[in-house]
């Protein structure tokens, strides 16, 4: 066997740099177990609130689109020298309407 000198003061990450482990039966089984555990952890959370349930209808794409439109409206109000506005959510048949209006100063 060849002698290999281990440098002192290296972190674990530095010592393992460039190391590629060959896949064996044991590592393949461990990898399968890790994905099974991750799948088991994705079970529905029994402590969800009503708000969490309602939020499931808003996908990331929809949230982004609503955010962009609200930012555009905010900029329009800013151009009119209105600093703060309110948003009201209403249902009109099968449509959802967001109505904005400037907040009244007290």
């Amino acid at each position: 066997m060849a002698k290999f000198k281990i440098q002192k003061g290296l972190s674990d990450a530095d010592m393992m740099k460039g190391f590629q482990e060959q896949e064996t039966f044991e590592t393949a089984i461990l990898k399968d177990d890790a994905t099974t555990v991750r799948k088991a952890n994705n079970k529905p959370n029994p402590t969800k609130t009503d708000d969490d349930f309602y939020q499931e209808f808003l996908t990331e794409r929809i949230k982004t689109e609503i955010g962009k439109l609200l930012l555009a409206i905010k900029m329009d109000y800013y151009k009119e020298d209105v600093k703060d506005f309110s948003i009201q959510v209403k249902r009109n048949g099968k449509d959802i309407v967001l109505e904005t209006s400037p907040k009244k100063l007290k």
Side-chain angles (χ1 to χ4, degrees):
M1 266 178 108
K3 243 184 178 181
F4 182 72
K5 187 170 183 169
I6 300 174
Q7 297 177 355
K8 294 186 178 186
L10 294 177
S11 68
D12 291 343
D14 290 336
M15 285 190 273
M16 298 301 289
K17 193 182 295 181
F19 177 74
Q20 278 297 65
E21 184 177 12
Q22 294 178 349
E23 184 154 356
T24 62
F25 175 74
E26 291 84 9
T27 57
I29 294 296
L30 287 174
K31 204 183 312 179
D32 287 343
D33 286 345
T35 56
T36 304
V37 168
R38 267 190 249 125
K39 286 180 184 176
N41 287 340
N42 289 336
K43 290 181 182 175
N45 189 355
T47 61
K48 283 189 174 183
T49 64
D50 287 343
D51 288 341
D52 293 337
F53 174 73
Y54 298 134
Q55 296 259 340
E56 289 179 7
F57 294 103
L58 298 173
T59 63
E60 289 301 318
R61 184 183 62 81
I62 292 172
K63 288 179 186 178
T64 302
E65 286 180 25
I66 292 171
K68 286 180 181 179
L69 293 173
L70 288 174
L71 178 61
I73 291 170
K74 183 174 185 169
M75 295 306 295
D76 291 341
Y77 276 124
Y78 184 75
K79 289 174 187 174
E80 297 171 4
D81 205 30
V82 175
K83 304 294 183 208
D84 207 8
F85 67 98
S86 65
I87 304 171
Q88 297 169 348
V89 181
K90 296 182 180 182
R91 179 180 171 188
N92 187 3
K94 291 185 180 180
D95 296 329
I96 298 172
V97 179
L98 295 176
E99 290 183 356
T100 63
S101 62
K103 283 191 177 177
K104 297 177 184 173
L105 297 177
K106 293 180 181 178

